[in-house]
Amino acid sequence: MKSRKWLGALLAGAMILTSTVGLVGCGKDSSDNSSSGNEASEKDKEQLLKLILVEPETLDPNKCQDSSSGTVLGATQEGLARVKIENGEEKIVPAGAESWTKSKDELVWTFKIRDYKWSDGKPVTAQNYVDSFLRLLKKDNAFGYAYLAYEVKGAKDYNLGKGKPEDVGVKAKDDKTFEVTLEKPTPYFEKKLAFYSFYPVRLDVIEKGGENWDTDISKQVYCGPYKIKEWTRNNSLTFEKNPEYWDANNVYIEKVEMRDIAEFSTQAQLFEGKDLDVTGGSQEFIEKWTKEAEKGSFAAIKKDDPTTWYLGFNQKTGGPSGLMKNEKIRKALALSFNREEYVNTLYGRFKPAYGYIPYSLHSGDKEYRKEVQEPLKADYDKYKGNKEELQKLFKEGLKELGKDVDDLKKIELSYITTGQSSGERQKQEWWKQEIEKNLGITLKVEVLGDAKLYNQAKKDFKFDIIQSGWGADFDDPISFLDMWDSKSGNNYVAFNNAKYDEILKKLDGEGDIAKRAELYKELETILVKEEAGIAPIFYKDRRSFIHNYVKDFQMPLFGTTYEWRWAYISGRNK
């Protein structure tokens, strides 16, 4: 979930770029994703945690498509399961469901819902889960993550308007028994149980809350370990412990304060002054803090992250330029920028990406990216630094569209973005210079003032090029590939390829891991190399720093950005 999780180009500051990072003690690299805790540690009287703001777009779990909202929902709501790191491994552990079983044919899953309550005192029931699945799938709601439930019997037909809600394989057998019937055995279904799209919902609260229910904290009810106490848009967010949570005795952090800090230099000052408990790492601070961590000043980590950042091209309308529907023009753009220079100059970290599926994702027990060659690498090496050939490819695309090819400078493409920090401005300038230098065209960089304007422009397809990122929702490459189905709600660049859709259908119910890996490879090749539907830029890594007094604070690869449900503070003032 990362959730992975949809990552918009707005993700502000270096902390967000490292926000799902794992942690180790004493500066040693490790596969462990949690700070080293000691059950015998004496807990401070004040249990306060200070973090960088993750600004939610919505508090509606069915509507949620971004990791910041998912993190807030993960703190305030309780789904069937949670992702927990135990002995360095991420595990799906019972949460709202105290246990579950599956039938011998692996089609019928039965969940025993524990006795827990919403913050208004009403019990959480199996029907709340049924309501969530059906609401997620209802066609008129147009929720982007509806396709994540397609393994459920009748779900896809209902979502596409071809079936009835009563035919969807979700059922409340009684108040505390929730049953899910799948169309076919699905190897990764259990990995989805912790995802926020499937959290329980209260239809009565949603109906009463009206149009702005999903952004008004006064209209919310919670069933998770925390409640939102205060929310000042684009500034701060404060959580307080939910005393009605079913496991409140084992929730130690009483209050969480999040603040928006756009400039990383300010983040750094606050972290070094212990007025910020967790931070990412950017450029010169990485080297400095890594050395400090080696001395034991705080904990640090460096590891791969299941997230890829990329350029997306408007294939619905062709964009303001009308050019983005042409594969050769998209391909020329995808090959026109130096990824190594980008990450080294602007971040001082990350891996250049020539494929879409990142490191750390597994197909079966094998890490996919280490087994499969990146599909764009050979073409990039062929065109690297060759302006004449790049412009020739671009002009071939123009000819196919019946456009004038004599003066490329007259070609103007619209690149929309947001962010006003000095770091964001550097990136915006880099893209303009790099693409204009290599393709000879004009790149108009449009910096939109806030997330609302940016997301609306994206929704309305008022762009040629957009930069975004995608983090894994669960540990399987399909979580990166099924979003580009032509009917997917997360396919916001309108990539549409009949062969791609057919291969996705072949994957439906395919249990052979080797066959699945081959089909994944085919899909990635079509998306990145043959059609250039997107242009991968870099794979994220995990570079994060956390003070030693923060114990058992987790940042799972596949889950919420932050997970402090098990965390506590011990020795802040020592």
Side-chain angles (χ1 to χ4, degrees), residues 60-63 79 118 125-138 141 143 146 149 158 168 170 178 195-203 206:
D60 183 342
N62 300 143
K63 184 180 179 180
W118 297 95
T125 67
Q127 188 62 43
N128 296 146
Y129 284 96
V130 172
D131 292 341
S132 180
F133 271 79
L134 295 181
R135 183 170 178 266
L136 175 69
L137 291 164
K138 187 176 181 180
N141 290 334
F143 290 135
Y158 176 52
V168 178
V170 289
F178 174 52
F195 199 62
Y196 46 75
S197 294
F198 308 127
Y199 286 179
V201 297
R202 284 274 298 279
L203 296 183
I206 295 171

Side-chain angles (χ1 to χ4, degrees), residues 95-108:
E98 62 182 32
S99 64
W100 55 85
T101 59
K102 58 183 176 180
S103 59
K104 288 185 179 180
D105 61 5
E106 300 187 6
L107 293 179
V108 181

Side-chain angles (χ1 to χ4, degrees), residues 9-46:
L10 205 172
L11 297 186
M15 181 58 217
I16 299 301
L17 285 172
T18 59
S19 60
T20 49
V21 188
L23 307 160
V24 296
C26 303
K28 297 178 182 178
D29 287 342
S30 167
S31 60
D32 192 353
N33 287 44
S34 62
S35 55
S36 54
N38 184 342
E39 293 302 322
S41 297
E42 183 178 346
K43 297 177 178 64
D44 288 1
K45 183 176 181 180
E46 183 183 46

Side-chain angles (χ1 to χ4, degrees), residues 358-415:
Y359 290 87
S360 73
L361 274 183
H362 294 81
S363 178
D365 60 355
K366 294 183 179 179
E367 189 172 343
Y368 177 88
R369 188 77 282 153
K370 291 182 178 178
E371 299 289 324
V372 179
Q373 185 176 357
E374 295 172 287
L376 196 62
K377 188 64 167 69
D379 284 348
Y380 176 77
D381 289 342
K382 175 183 175 182
Y383 282 88
K384 183 179 179 180
N386 194 329
K387 299 179 187 178
E388 291 76 15
E389 286 299 309
L390 285 168
Q391 293 177 21
K392 179 181 176 182
L393 180 61
F394 195 94
K395 287 179 178 180
E396 288 175 7
L398 291 175
K399 287 180 181 178
E400 291 177 359
L401 294 172
K403 303 288 186 179
D404 180 23
V405 300
D406 292 335
D407 188 359
L408 288 178
K409 286 185 179 180
K410 292 181 180 180
I411 301 294
E412 182 177 274
L413 301 183
S414 168
Y415 170 61

Side-chain angles (χ1 to χ4, degrees), residues 120 122 128 131 201-210 221:
D120 64 357
K122 292 189 177 182
N128 296 146
D131 292 341
V201 297
R202 284 274 298 279
L203 296 183
D204 60 320
V205 172
I206 295 171
E207 183 177 356
K208 182 180 178 181
V221 290

Side-chain angles (χ1 to χ4, degrees), residues 55-156:
E55 177 81 13
E57 294 181 12
T58 179
L59 300 176
D60 183 342
N62 300 143
K63 184 180 179 180
C64 176
Q65 289 181 261
D66 67 289
S67 59
S68 295
S69 300
T71 296
V72 174
L73 287 165
T76 57
Q77 307 295 356
E78 188 83 325
L80 294 167
R82 282 185 179 269
V83 176
K84 185 179 183 182
I85 300 161
E86 297 178 345
N87 300 319
E89 294 185 10
E90 294 194 14
K91 297 181 179 180
I92 300 293
V93 298
E98 62 182 32
S99 64
W100 55 85
T101 59
K102 58 183 176 180
S103 59
K104 288 185 179 180
D105 61 5
E106 300 187 6
L107 293 179
V108 181
W109 292 65
T110 303
F111 300 88
K112 184 179 180 182
I113 306 303
R114 72 171 70 250
D115 289 325
Y116 71 119
K117 298 177 181 180
W118 297 95
S119 52
D120 64 357
K122 292 189 177 182
V124 179
T125 67
Q127 188 62 43
N128 296 146
Y129 284 96
V130 172
D131 292 341
S132 180
F133 271 79
L134 295 181
R135 183 170 178 266
L136 175 69
L137 291 164
K138 187 176 181 180
K139 183 179 180 180
D140 291 347
N141 290 334
F143 290 135
Y145 264 130
Y147 69 90
L148 273 187
Y150 278 8
E151 291 89 1
V152 177
K153 184 179 179 181
K156 186 173 184 178

Side-chain angles (χ1 to χ4, degrees), residues 308-331:
T308 303
W309 280 72
Y310 57 90
L311 296 181
F313 307 120
N314 181 350
Q315 290 147 78
K316 183 174 183 178
T317 68
S321 71
L323 303 180
M324 293 300 101
K325 286 189 175 183
N326 184 269
E327 173 264 321
K328 287 183 179 177
I329 287 176
R330 298 194 303 267
K331 188 72 170 286

